[in-house]
Amino acid sequence: MPSRTTVSTYTVRNRRQNYSETPREKVPTRFSSASVKAAPAPRPEKPPAPFGDLSRADITELCDLAKVVWPGQTRSGAEKRRAGVRMLFRHLAKLPGDTWQERWEASGFNDENATPVSVLGRQEVRYDRSNLTSALRMAFAARIIQPSISGFRANKFIDYAEPFRQVQKDPGLDEFFSTVDAQRHLTAVHRHRAKFDLTCALTTQGINLEHLTPSALLHYSLENKRLGLTHGANRDHTRFAALGAWEILHKMGHFPPGTAPTLRTFIYNGQRSIEELVDLYGIKNAGVRQLLIDYLVRRRSDTDYVTLQGLARHLAGHFWSVIEEISPDQQDLNLSQELYDQWRAEIQYWRRNGKTDRTKIRKDPATLLLAVRGLYVDLHSWAVAEPERWAQWVAPCPILPRDLKGFGKRRREVNRRMADRTRVRQPLLPVLVRHVEERYERLASLLEAASPVPLGESFEHQGRRFTRTNSREDRRRAKILAEPTVRVTDDDTGELIHVTMAEDSAFWEWVAVEILRHSGIRVEELVELTHLSIRQYERPNGEVIALLVVAPSKSERERVIPMSAELFHAVAQIIRRHTRNGQAIPLVSRYDGHEKVWSDAMPFLFQRQIGTVRGVIAPATVLNMIGRSCEEIAETNPAFAGTKFTPHDFRRLFATDIVNGGLPIHIGAALLGHLNLQTTQGYVAVFAEDIVKHYQEFLNHRRALRPEHEYVDVTPEEWEEFEEHFDKRKVELGNCARPYGSPCQHEHACIRCPMLQVNPKMLPRLAEIEKDLILRRKRAEAEQWLGEIEGIDMTLTFVRTKQADAARLAHRPPVSLGIPTTRPQSD
């Protein structure tokens, strides 16, 4: 196990990536700058022309080229291309222009939303359309015509990338194709897509590979997104092109040193400067604008970007921009009572795009009032030390203490609503857990059963008949992929199931729910877990305990969580999934949507391959997964109607469970990463008066022994007491799950005790107990011991329930996680 001296601890401060500080790569490149701003590549002094300058060639010469452009093809294919060349270029010859390029641009085939050239074909002639498309492919590949992205994508080529490469005779392009073919983590479809994107970018910008800059490829990607022409996106205007091509070019060393390894790095805006945050709200008063900028610069040192962004929104967007709308002539912070009352009336409603939305009332404006009051109070105190800078803006604070009266009451009301939400969801949690687990197990077994079945064949699985789909795409993928995707049709319902995709989604939802409910971590912390988050600790008695190291998402304190068997199993399944092909967990970068920065490349656990890109699952994706499951359950379970679980609900349920189970609250706070005990207490929902009574008695007793201000870290003695508790819970059949610090309350009647967690290794022992009970029952029946029969039947029920639970756990084989280690730096 690596020590802290050999493994870096990644926290909020040091897990971010600054590409300007990345060491220069040793791979040579022809570009001198890594600065990227989307722009098409400049036209080279000598444009590519694999067959010479054909911009004014006559049609006969082009027809001759059609016969020899791709050697080795059939004679009929060349003749059809020649026929297409005659039709296409005779049409273009009628249009104005001195070159074929000028005539192409005048044809309308190069415009946005252009029609394909196949419309020139005669309806009665079968092959005219394909001949025209083949001729146009030759015109693009031979660089006779340079199309726009719209003009190119309007035409559907069966294959373009490989014929283009053959014509160009470019060693760099040959190397790119070879590198793409070596990327075994990409499917054949996505390898083809990477080749297509690159060749399309070179064609539409009229350049060779050596002239393709990061700016040019970024321009190509953004234009495809804008036009909804990203390959495979089906007119989706949210998808980016060339993601895979960018990563492969970066691996080849084609891009300049310091260029980010993914195109997405340049898609996201990143952190805005303070001036940009303030200017979002169009403040007209130059003096107040500069004041807010100076104020936020001063506050930046003691806050993070998310808080700074919220403060700018409150002060610039909700405060001063509204003041300027009400009173455009207001020049300072000295507000009249009338102006202040008008502003208070306005902020009772939400604002959207700089305008008040009177259909939605703000529930808690106190947060906004506190931010504005903080501005006035800070200016008062700062003016004492720096009067020349702040004194001119000092003014009476219009927000009086009475305006904030009832703030504590409102906070208690929020806590009450959260506690009620927790109480509603606690009895529903087992239903949700069972649903996501059963769905994953069902789809995993269906995938295992369907994978060896030939295309088009039927098979039976768990009492239902399915048929493996046999479409043209299925047959194509079966030929080129080692593990083709599996799709089946339910013979009873006719439903088409994409088993591979459904199983992958179900797996990630299951492990997300398991880790969230057994660890209580935040969803941001969940997706930031890495292979290095798994540690082990050997206790003095030789027992090895698995630990989960959580990098904090809100505080600056790393924390360690002892993993239960269920939590460890979920984590192990993730690692097993990533390493099932004998490879290490890939290193990927993650974009932090809150801090607006990219992380270092790390072995994140919650990563998956989608298309040509491997990325980390976003927190919103986890939220949407769980939401969809709740909607599915609501179709058959009325208790879920209108009820959804969020990732934070699992955190509150975890806090409630451990504290109401008897765990000292300061240990619970340490597990949850809370710096204040009151925060933890606010997370805990109570369910009965006796729990409230015992909890308060315990809390008061602890506080009497130890003052509240000393509740900082767990002492070694308390930790030893905590560990000793688990030693005392070990029994013959497994483990007792009674609350922390509590004795056995069932007179050691373990078989009947609901707190008993049976070890799957003890299944043979349970079988012996069951056999003995059956013999005792026969004897009781023979002797007419009716009371004994009733007790034996009850014990038999418990034994069989324990057997079923233990057998379920036994289906989960142990997984060897290996020891995470740092990787050597590549030269």
Side-chain angles (χ1 to χ4, degrees):
M1 179 59 61
S3 65
R4 290 182 180 272
T5 60
T6 60
V7 177
S8 299
T9 299
Y10 295 92
T11 62
V12 164
R13 293 192 183 278
N14 66 356
R15 66 184 173 211
R16 310 303 182 192
Q17 171 92 0
N18 184 351
Y19 290 112
S20 63
E21 298 176 359
T22 302
R24 286 184 172 270
E25 300 176 13
K26 296 182 179 180
V27 181
T29 175
R30 64 180 304 275
F31 304 116
S32 59
S33 172
S35 175
V36 177
K37 185 176 182 181
R43 186 170 181 80
E45 294 182 4
K46 186 178 179 181
F51 300 100
D53 185 4
L54 300 174
S55 60
R56 291 179 170 84
D58 58 42
I59 296 178
T60 303
E61 186 178 355
L62 297 178
C63 288
D64 293 339
L65 176 64
K67 296 172 60 176
V68 299
V69 61
W70 286 296
Q73 289 193 343
T74 62
R75 180 178 178 181
S76 61
E79 290 299 325
K80 290 178 180 179
R81 189 179 308 110
R82 288 185 66 192
V85 167
R86 284 193 293 268
M87 293 182 63
L88 175 62
F89 283 90
R90 282 175 181 174
H91 173 79
L92 295 179
K94 302 174 185 178
L95 302 174
D98 295 330
T99 65
W100 293 118
Q101 179 66 31
E102 292 173 352
R103 295 164 185 160
W104 168 260
E105 292 174 355
S107 68
F109 290 125
N110 209 43
D111 301 337
E112 290 189 14
N113 300 316
T115 56
V117 296
S118 58
V119 298
L120 300 176
R122 296 164 293 181
Q123 294 291 335
E124 65 277 9
V125 180
R126 180 179 178 184
Y127 293 107
D128 271 5
R129 293 175 179 269
S130 60
N131 294 347
L132 283 162
T133 303
S134 178
L136 187 66
R137 181 178 65 174
M138 185 200 80
F140 289 165
R143 309 293 188 144
I144 304 169
I145 295 172
Q146 178 185 331
S148 66
I149 293 177
S150 296
F152 185 100
R153 293 302 312 282
N155 302 275
K156 306 300 181 185
F157 302 111
I158 296 177
D159 187 17
Y160 183 80
E162 181 59 27
F164 178 86
R165 183 194 67 81
Q166 295 173 5
V167 167
Q168 304 309 306
K169 296 180 173 58
D170 181 353
L173 191 59
D174 294 340
E175 181 188 358
F176 175 84
F177 274 54
S178 300
T179 306
V180 171
D181 291 333
Q183 306 302 309
R184 307 316 302 174
H185 67 281
L186 297 178
T187 65
V189 173
H190 298 125
R191 291 196 293 270
H192 175 269
R193 187 166 299 172
K195 296 175 182 178
F196 174 86
D197 280 327
L198 183 75
T199 54
C200 183
L202 298 180
T203 302
T204 56
Q205 300 193 33
I207 57 176
N208 285 325
L209 181 60
E210 63 174 330
H211 300 112
L212 182 66
T213 64
S215 298
L217 191 56
L218 178 61
H219 170 78
Y220 168 79
S221 179
L222 296 178
E223 279 296 292
N224 273 274
K225 174 181 178 293
R226 181 181 68 83
L227 298 169
L229 296 176
T230 299
H231 195 191
N234 298 322
R235 295 286 174 178
D236 185 351
H237 290 262
T238 65
R239 301 277 294 277
F240 293 92
L243 298 177
W246 182 291
E247 293 187 13
I248 294 168
L249 288 171
H250 184 274
K251 290 180 180 178
M252 293 171 54
H254 177 77
F255 289 152
T259 304
T262 62
L263 185 146
R264 290 181 182 272
T265 304
F266 300 104
I267 293 173
Y268 297 104
N269 292 327
Q271 291 186 358
R272 288 188 170 97
S273 66
I274 290 179
E275 289 81 0
E276 291 173 331
L277 290 175
V278 173
D279 289 341
L280 286 174
Y281 305 100
I283 294 178
K284 301 179 178 63
N285 188 315
V288 175
R289 172 186 173 275
Q290 190 59 47
L291 168 67
L292 294 178
I293 291 174
D294 293 341
Y295 177 77
L296 293 174
V297 168
R298 178 75 174 267
R299 290 291 308 273
R300 179 171 55 186
S301 61
D302 61 354
T303 187
D304 56 18
Y305 179 75
V306 179
T307 306
L308 192 71
Q309 191 178 33
L311 195 57
R313 181 171 59 252
H314 286 331
L315 298 180
H318 296 151
F319 174 53
W320 195 256
S321 65
V322 178
I323 292 294
E324 287 189 336
E325 287 181 11
I326 300 172
S327 178
D329 297 330
Q330 184 70 28
Q331 298 298 315
D332 54 30
L333 300 182
N334 192 4
L335 308 183
S336 66
Q337 186 63 40
E338 180 183 1
L339 179 57
Y340 170 68
D341 291 339
Q342 289 179 299
W343 175 73
R344 282 290 304 274
E346 284 294 316
I347 65 169
Q348 299 302 314
Y349 304 95
W350 281 94
R351 289 177 64 81
R352 297 177 185 272
N353 300 323
K355 295 185 179 180
T356 302
D357 181 4
R358 299 190 180 277
T359 63
K360 190 173 182 181
I361 298 176
R362 189 184 301 275
K363 286 186 178 181
D364 188 14
T367 304
L368 175 54
L369 296 178
L370 285 172
V372 176
R373 181 175 173 81
L375 170 66
Y376 280 87
V377 173
D378 286 340
L379 292 177
H380 280 226
S381 60
W382 296 350
V384 175
E386 301 177 80
E388 70 283 355
R389 185 177 182 184
W390 307 106
Q392 61 174 320
W393 296 105
V394 172
C397 181
I399 302 173
L400 301 177
R402 67 169 177 265
D403 296 331
L404 296 172
K405 188 177 181 180
F407 179 74
K409 180 180 179 181
R410 288 190 294 272
R411 293 305 307 168
R412 288 193 295 272
E413 174 61 22
V414 171
N415 289 339
R416 185 199 65 78
R417 291 201 305 266
M418 290 298 99
D420 183 64
R421 180 184 178 93
T422 302
R423 283 191 287 268
V424 169
R425 281 156 180 75
Q426 191 190 50
L428 302 180
L429 179 60
V431 180
L432 175 63
V433 171
R434 184 166 58 251
H435 173 79
V436 297
E437 183 174 0
E438 290 178 350
R439 181 175 61 183
Y440 166 60
E441 292 178 348
R442 181 178 68 254
L443 289 170
S445 62
L446 178 60
L447 179 62
E448 183 179 3
S451 295
V453 176
L455 297 180
E457 296 292 329
S458 297
F459 65 98
E460 186 172 341
H461 177 66
Q462 295 182 351
R464 300 181 69 88
R465 295 289 300 176
F466 297 92
T467 301
R468 183 86 183 265
T469 57
N470 189 25
S471 66
R472 178 181 178 183
E473 182 65 15
D474 290 320
R475 292 191 295 272
R476 186 179 73 85
R477 295 192 177 195
K479 291 179 181 179
I480 62 178
L481 297 180
E483 296 182 2
T485 55
V486 176
R487 300 190 302 168
V488 301
T489 303
D490 190 325
D491 292 352
D492 294 334
T493 63
E495 177 187 6
L496 176 64
I497 306 172
H498 195 309
V499 186
T500 303
M501 185 182 301
E503 186 272 344
D504 184 71
S505 178
F507 171 80
W508 289 112
E509 182 181 356
W510 169 66
V511 294
V513 169
E514 287 294 289
I515 295 176
L516 286 171
R517 75 186 186 97
H518 287 301
S519 66
I521 61 177
R522 303 176 181 93
V523 66
E524 294 85 1
E525 296 166 341
L526 173 77
V527 298
E528 289 182 351
L529 292 176
T530 70
H531 199 186
L532 297 176
S533 300
I534 305 166
R535 308 287 176 85
Q536 64 183 20
Y537 165 67
E538 185 173 349
R539 293 182 53 199
N541 62 2
E543 181 182 4
V544 177
I545 299 176
L547 302 176
L548 189 67
V549 180
V550 180
S553 64
K554 295 181 72 172
S555 65
E556 295 295 332
R557 297 180 60 186
E558 179 184 78
R559 65 187 191 274
V560 177
I561 300 175
M563 285 196 277
S564 63
E566 293 83 358
L567 176 57
F568 185 82
H569 172 72
V571 174
Q573 289 300 317
I574 296 176
I575 297 175
R576 183 182 188 182
R577 194 177 187 88
H578 286 315
T579 59
R580 57 187 170 188
N581 295 325
Q583 299 177 348
I585 297 179
L587 301 179
V588 297
S589 295
R590 174 183 176 272
Y591 181 73
D592 190 321
H594 294 294
E595 293 292 330
K596 309 296 183 186
V597 293
W598 287 86
S599 73
D600 291 324
M602 298 169 61
F604 287 103
L605 296 183
F606 276 79
Q607 61 171 283
R608 58 177 177 174
Q609 185 82 29
I610 299 181
T612 58
V613 177
R614 175 170 288 274
V616 181
I617 297 175
T621 302
V622 178
L623 176 66
N624 293 335
M625 284 179 175
I626 299 172
R628 286 195 297 267
S629 288
C630 292
E631 292 175 357
E632 292 174 6
I633 299 173
E635 296 176 359
T636 56
N637 189 334
F640 271 82
T643 300
K644 286 189 177 182
F645 278 76
T646 66
H648 216 71
D649 287 327
F650 296 103
R651 183 170 170 81
R652 293 183 178 275
L653 287 166
F654 176 81
T656 299
D657 186 53
I658 61 175
V659 174
N660 285 346
L663 188 71
I665 191 169
H666 67 293
I667 296 181
L671 293 176
L672 292 167
H674 289 155
L675 301 180
N676 192 322
L677 293 179
Q678 298 301 322
T679 305
T680 307
Q681 188 170 357
Y683 270 52
V684 177
V686 292
F687 293 82
E689 289 301 324
D690 59 332
I691 295 179
V692 177
K693 178 182 177 182
H694 287 91
Y695 171 71
Q696 291 295 343
E697 288 179 354
F698 175 79
L699 188 60
N700 293 335
H701 174 68
R702 296 290 299 190
R703 286 180 174 170
L705 297 177
R706 186 174 185 181
E708 183 177 355
H709 68 272
E710 292 184 8
Y711 276 83
V712 180
D713 294 320
V714 180
T715 66
E717 292 77 13
E718 290 169 329
W719 190 257
E720 289 179 4
E721 179 186 349
F722 176 68
E723 292 178 336
E724 185 181 1
H725 163 75
F726 294 98
D727 291 335
K728 293 181 178 179
R729 296 198 315 182
K730 294 178 181 178
V731 295
E732 176 194 7
L733 295 175
N735 186 58
C736 177
R738 64 179 181 269
Y740 174 80
S742 62
C744 178
Q745 298 181 5
H746 302 94
E747 299 179 356
H748 301 282
C750 295
I751 289 295
R752 294 189 179 188
C753 179
M755 297 294 180
L756 175 65
Q757 296 176 339
V758 177
N759 189 325
K761 295 180 180 179
M762 300 305 294
L763 276 171
R765 174 60 180 150
L766 284 177
E768 293 177 3
I769 294 175
E770 181 184 20
K771 182 179 179 180
D772 181 65
L773 287 171
I774 293 173
L775 293 175
R776 286 176 54 194
R777 193 183 191 285
K778 290 181 179 178
R779 173 70 185 280
E781 288 178 346
E783 300 292 342
Q784 292 295 307
W785 297 336
L786 300 182
E788 189 75 11
I789 292 174
E790 183 179 353
I792 293 173
D793 286 342
M794 183 180 297
T795 305
L796 272 171
T797 301
F798 279 104
V799 167
R800 287 162 181 164
T801 301
K802 300 294 184 186
Q803 282 179 318
D805 292 341
R808 180 168 159 268
L809 290 175
H811 289 316
R812 301 174 171 178
V815 179
S816 176
L817 298 183
I819 303 298
T821 58
T822 55
R823 303 187 185 195
Q825 297 294 328
S826 58
D827 294 334

